Coordinates of all heavy atoms in Angstrom, one line a residue:
T209 N 2.3 -23.6 -14.8 CA 2.9 -24.6 -15.6 C 3.7 -24.1 -16.8 O 4.7 -24.6 -17.2 CB 1.7 -25.5 -16.2 OG1 0.8 -24.5 -16.9 CG2 1.0 -26.3 -15.2
G210 N 3.2 -22.9 -17.3 CA 3.9 -22.3 -18.4 C 3.4 -20.9 -18.6 O 2.4 -20.5 -18.1
I211 N 4.1 -20.1 -19.4 CA 3.8 -18.7 -19.7 C 3.5 -18.5 -21.2 O 4.3 -18.9 -22.0 CB 4.9 -17.8 -19.2 CG1 5.2 -18.0 -17.7 CG2 4.6 -16.3 -19.5 CD1 6.5 -17.3 -17.3
A212 N 2.3 -17.9 -21.5 CA 1.9 -17.7 -22.9 C 2.9 -16.8 -23.6 O 3.5 -16.0 -23.0 CB 0.5 -17.1 -22.9
G213 N 3.0 -17.1 -24.9 CA 3.9 -16.2 -25.7 C 3.1 -15.1 -26.4 O 2.0 -15.4 -26.8
L214 N 3.6 -13.9 -26.4 CA 2.9 -12.8 -27.0 C 3.6 -12.2 -28.2 O 4.8 -12.3 -28.3 CB 2.6 -11.7 -26.0 CG 3.7 -10.9 -25.4 CD1 4.3 -9.8 -26.3 CD2 3.3 -10.3 -24.0
V215 N 2.8 -11.6 -29.1 CA 3.4 -10.7 -30.1 C 2.7 -9.4 -30.0 O 1.5 -9.3 -29.7 CB 3.3 -11.3 -31.6 CG1 4.3 -12.4 -31.8 CG2 1.9 -11.6 -31.9
W216 N 3.4 -8.3 -30.2 CA 2.8 -7.0 -30.3 C 3.1 -6.5 -31.7 O 4.3 -6.4 -32.1 CB 3.5 -6.0 -29.3 CG 3.0 -6.2 -27.9 CD1 2.1 -7.1 -27.4 CD2 3.5 -5.4 -26.7 NE1 2.0 -7.0 -26.0 CE2 2.8 -6.0 -25.6 CE3 4.3 -4.4 -26.5 CZ2 2.9 -5.5 -24.3 CZ3 4.5 -3.9 -25.2 CH2 3.8 -4.4 -24.1
V217 N 2.1 -6.2 -32.5 CA 2.2 -5.8 -33.9 C 1.6 -4.4 -34.0 O 0.4 -4.3 -33.7 CB 1.6 -6.8 -34.9 CG1 1.8 -6.3 -36.3 CG2 2.1 -8.2 -34.7
K218 N 2.3 -3.5 -34.5 CA 1.8 -2.1 -34.8 C 1.2 -2.1 -36.2 O 1.9 -2.4 -37.2 CB 2.9 -1.1 -34.7 CG 2.5 0.3 -34.9 CD 3.6 1.3 -34.9 CE 3.3 2.7 -35.4 NZ 4.5 3.5 -35.5
F219 N -0.1 -1.7 -36.3 CA -0.7 -1.5 -37.6 C -0.8 0.0 -37.9 O -1.1 0.8 -37.0 CB -2.2 -2.0 -37.5 CG -2.4 -3.5 -37.7 CD1 -2.1 -4.4 -36.6 CD2 -2.9 -4.0 -38.8 CE1 -2.3 -5.7 -36.8 CE2 -3.1 -5.4 -39.0 CZ -2.8 -6.2 -37.9
T220 N -0.3 0.3 -39.1 CA -0.5 1.7 -39.6 C -1.5 1.7 -40.8 O -1.2 0.9 -41.8 CB 0.8 2.3 -40.0 OG1 1.7 2.3 -38.9 CG2 0.7 3.8 -40.4
V221 N -2.6 2.3 -40.7 CA -3.6 2.3 -41.8 C -3.7 3.8 -42.4 O -3.9 4.7 -41.6 CB -5.0 1.9 -41.2 CG1 -6.0 1.7 -42.4 CG2 -4.9 0.6 -40.4
E222 N -3.3 3.9 -43.6 CA -3.2 5.2 -44.2 C -4.3 5.4 -45.3 O -4.4 4.5 -46.2 CB -1.8 5.4 -44.9 CG -0.7 5.5 -43.8 CD 0.6 5.3 -44.4 OE1 0.9 4.1 -44.8 OE2 1.4 6.2 -44.4
G223 N -5.1 6.5 -45.2 CA -6.1 6.7 -46.2 C -6.0 8.2 -46.7 O -4.9 8.6 -46.9
K224 N -7.1 8.9 -46.8 CA -7.0 10.3 -47.2 C -7.9 11.2 -46.3 O -9.1 10.9 -46.2 CB -7.5 10.3 -48.7 CG -7.3 11.7 -49.4 CD -7.7 11.6 -50.8 CE -7.6 13.0 -51.4 NZ -8.5 13.1 -52.6
A225 N -7.2 12.2 -45.8 CA -8.0 13.1 -44.9 C -8.9 13.9 -45.8 O -8.5 14.5 -46.9 CB -7.0 14.0 -44.2
E226 N -10.2 13.9 -45.5 CA -11.2 14.7 -46.3 C -12.3 15.3 -45.4 O -12.4 14.9 -44.2 CB -11.8 13.8 -47.4 CG -10.8 13.4 -48.4 CD -11.5 12.7 -49.6 OE1 -11.8 11.6 -49.5 OE2 -11.7 13.4 -50.6
H227 N -13.1 16.1 -45.9 CA -14.2 16.8 -45.2 C -15.2 15.8 -44.8 O -15.8 15.0 -45.6 CB -14.8 17.9 -46.1 CG -15.6 18.9 -45.2 ND1 -16.8 18.5 -44.6 CD2 -15.4 20.2 -44.9 CE1 -17.3 19.6 -44.0 NE2 -16.5 20.6 -44.1
A228 N -15.6 15.8 -43.5 CA -16.6 14.8 -43.0 C -17.9 15.0 -43.6 O -18.8 14.1 -43.7 CB -16.6 14.8 -41.5
G229 N -18.2 16.3 -44.0 CA -19.6 16.6 -44.5 C -19.7 16.5 -46.0 O -20.7 16.0 -46.5
A230 N -18.7 16.9 -46.6 CA -18.8 17.1 -48.1 C -18.4 15.9 -48.9 O -18.5 15.8 -50.1 CB -17.9 18.3 -48.5
T231 N -17.9 14.8 -48.2 CA -17.4 13.6 -48.9 C -18.4 12.5 -48.9 O -18.6 11.9 -47.8 CB -16.0 13.2 -48.3 OG1 -15.2 14.3 -48.1 CG2 -15.3 12.2 -49.2
P232 N -19.0 12.1 -50.0 CA -19.9 11.0 -50.0 C -19.3 9.7 -49.5 O -18.0 9.5 -49.7 CB -20.3 10.9 -51.5 CG -19.9 12.2 -52.1 CD -18.8 12.7 -51.3
M233 N -20.0 8.8 -48.9 CA -19.5 7.6 -48.4 C -18.8 6.8 -49.4 O -17.8 6.1 -49.2 CB -20.6 6.7 -47.7 CG -21.2 7.4 -46.5 SD -20.0 7.9 -45.2 CE -19.7 6.3 -44.4
S234 N -19.3 6.8 -50.7 CA -18.8 6.0 -51.7 C -17.4 6.4 -52.2 O -16.7 5.7 -52.8 CB -19.7 6.0 -52.9 OG -19.9 7.3 -53.3
L235 N -17.0 7.7 -51.9 CA -15.8 8.2 -52.4 C -14.7 8.2 -51.4 O -13.6 8.8 -51.6 CB -16.0 9.7 -52.9 CG -17.0 9.8 -54.1 CD1 -17.1 11.3 -54.5 CD2 -16.7 8.9 -55.2
R236 N -14.9 7.7 -50.2 CA -13.9 7.8 -49.1 C -12.8 6.8 -49.2 O -13.1 5.7 -49.6 CB -14.6 7.7 -47.8 CG -15.6 8.8 -47.5 CD -16.4 8.7 -46.2 NE -17.3 9.8 -46.1 CZ -17.6 10.4 -44.9 NH1 -17.1 9.9 -43.8 NH2 -18.4 11.5 -44.9
R237 N -11.7 7.2 -48.6 CA -10.6 6.2 -48.3 C -10.3 6.3 -46.8 O -9.4 7.0 -46.4 CB -9.4 6.5 -49.2 CG -9.6 6.4 -50.7 CD -8.4 6.7 -51.5 NE -7.2 6.1 -51.0 CZ -6.0 6.7 -50.9 NH1 -5.9 8.0 -51.2 NH2 -5.0 6.0 -50.4
D238 N -11.3 5.8 -46.1 CA -11.3 6.1 -44.6 C -10.5 5.0 -43.8 O -11.0 3.9 -43.7 CB -12.8 6.1 -44.2 CG -12.9 6.4 -42.7 OD1 -11.9 6.4 -42.0 OD2 -14.1 6.7 -42.3
P239 N -9.4 5.4 -43.3 CA -8.5 4.4 -42.5 C -9.2 4.0 -41.2 O -8.9 2.9 -40.7 CB -7.2 5.2 -42.3 CG -7.6 6.6 -42.3 CD -8.8 6.8 -43.3
M240 N -10.0 4.9 -40.6 CA -10.7 4.5 -39.3 C -11.7 3.4 -39.6 O -11.7 2.4 -38.8 CB -11.4 5.7 -38.7 CG -12.0 5.4 -37.4 SD -10.8 5.0 -36.1 CE -10.7 6.5 -35.3
A241 N -12.5 3.5 -40.6 CA -13.4 2.4 -40.9 C -12.7 1.1 -41.2 O -13.1 0.0 -40.8 CB -14.3 2.8 -42.1
A242 N -11.6 1.2 -41.9 CA -10.8 0.0 -42.2 C -10.2 -0.6 -40.9 O -10.3 -1.8 -40.7 CB -9.6 0.4 -43.2
A243 N -9.7 0.3 -40.1 CA -9.1 -0.2 -38.8 C -10.2 -0.9 -37.9 O -10.0 -2.0 -37.4 CB -8.5 1.0 -38.0
A244 N -11.4 -0.3 -37.9 CA -12.5 -0.9 -37.2 C -12.8 -2.3 -37.7 O -13.0 -3.3 -36.9 CB -13.7 0.0 -37.3
Q245 N -12.8 -2.4 -39.0 CA -13.1 -3.8 -39.6 C -12.0 -4.7 -39.3 O -12.2 -5.9 -38.9 CB -13.1 -3.6 -41.2 CG -14.2 -4.4 -41.8 CD -14.3 -4.1 -43.3 OE1 -13.9 -3.0 -43.8 NE2 -14.8 -5.1 -44.0
I246 N -10.7 -4.3 -39.3 CA -9.6 -5.2 -38.9 C -9.7 -5.6 -37.5 O -9.5 -6.8 -37.1 CB -8.2 -4.5 -39.2 CG1 -8.1 -4.2 -40.7 CG2 -7.1 -5.3 -38.6 CD1 -6.9 -3.3 -41.1
M247 N -10.1 -4.7 -36.6 CA -10.3 -5.1 -35.2 C -11.4 -6.1 -35.0 O -11.2 -7.0 -34.2 CB -10.6 -3.8 -34.3 CG -9.4 -2.9 -34.2 SD -9.7 -1.5 -33.2 CE -8.7 -0.3 -33.9
A248 N -12.4 -6.0 -35.8 CA -13.5 -7.0 -35.7 C -12.9 -8.4 -36.2 O -13.2 -9.4 -35.6 CB -14.6 -6.6 -36.6
V249 N -12.0 -8.4 -37.2 CA -11.4 -9.6 -37.7 C -10.5 -10.2 -36.6 O -10.5 -11.4 -36.3 CB -10.6 -9.3 -38.9 CG1 -9.6 -10.4 -39.2 CG2 -11.5 -9.0 -40.1
I250 N -9.8 -9.3 -35.9 CA -8.9 -9.8 -34.8 C -9.7 -10.5 -33.7 O -9.4 -11.7 -33.3 CB -8.2 -8.6 -34.1 CG1 -7.1 -8.0 -35.0 CG2 -7.6 -9.0 -32.7 CD1 -6.5 -6.7 -34.6
E251 N -10.8 -9.9 -33.3 CA -11.7 -10.6 -32.3 C -12.2 -11.9 -32.8 O -12.2 -13.0 -32.2 CB -12.8 -9.7 -31.9 CG -13.7 -10.2 -30.8 CD -14.8 -9.3 -30.4 OE1 -15.5 -8.8 -31.3 OE2 -15.0 -9.0 -29.2
E252 N -12.7 -11.9 -34.1 CA -13.3 -13.1 -34.7 C -12.3 -14.3 -34.8 O -12.5 -15.4 -34.3 CB -13.8 -12.8 -36.1 CG -14.6 -13.8 -36.8 CD -14.9 -13.3 -38.2 OE1 -15.0 -12.1 -38.5 OE2 -14.9 -14.2 -39.1
E253 N -11.1 -13.9 -35.2 CA -10.0 -15.0 -35.4 C -9.5 -15.5 -34.1 O -9.2 -16.7 -33.9 CB -8.9 -14.5 -36.3 CG -9.3 -14.2 -37.8 CD -10.0 -15.5 -38.4 OE1 -9.7 -16.6 -38.0 OE2 -10.9 -15.2 -39.3
A254 N -9.4 -14.6 -33.1 CA -8.8 -15.0 -31.8 C -9.8 -15.9 -31.1 O -9.5 -17.0 -30.6 CB -8.5 -13.8 -30.9
R255 N -11.1 -15.5 -31.2 CA -12.2 -16.4 -30.6 C -12.2 -17.8 -31.1 O -12.4 -18.8 -30.4 CB -13.6 -15.8 -30.8 CG -14.0 -14.6 -29.9 CD -15.4 -14.2 -30.3 NE -15.8 -13.0 -29.6 CZ -16.2 -12.9 -28.3 NH1 -16.3 -14.0 -27.6 NH2 -16.5 -11.8 -27.7
R256 N -11.9 -17.9 -32.4 CA -12.1 -19.1 -33.2 C -11.3 -20.3 -32.5 O -11.8 -21.4 -32.5 CB -11.6 -18.9 -34.6 CG -12.3 -19.9 -35.6 CD -11.6 -19.7 -37.0 NE -11.9 -18.4 -37.6 CZ -13.1 -18.1 -38.2 NH1 -14.0 -19.0 -38.3 NH2 -13.3 -17.0 -38.8
T257 N -10.1 -20.1 -32.0 CA -9.3 -21.2 -31.5 C -9.7 -21.6 -30.1 O -9.4 -22.7 -29.6 CB -7.8 -20.9 -31.5 OG1 -7.6 -19.9 -30.4 CG2 -7.3 -20.3 -32.7
G258 N -10.3 -20.7 -29.3 CA -10.7 -21.0 -28.0 C -9.6 -20.9 -27.0 O -9.8 -20.9 -25.7

Side-chain angles (χ1 to χ4, degrees):
T209 54
I211 303 172
L214 65 79
V215 285
W216 284 359
V217 181
K218 178 182 167 188
F219 279 75
T220 303
V221 188
E222 293 163 292
K224 189 176 174 200
E226 291 191 281
H227 196 293
T231 313
M233 295 305 280
S234 58
L235 299 183
R236 295 176 178 214
R237 296 178 50 223
D238 182 349
M240 181 65 102
Q245 219 176 334
I246 294 169
M247 288 182 211
V249 163
I250 287 168
E251 187 182 44
E252 187 187 330
E253 292 307 332
R255 276 182 191 280
R256 202 186 294 280
T257 70

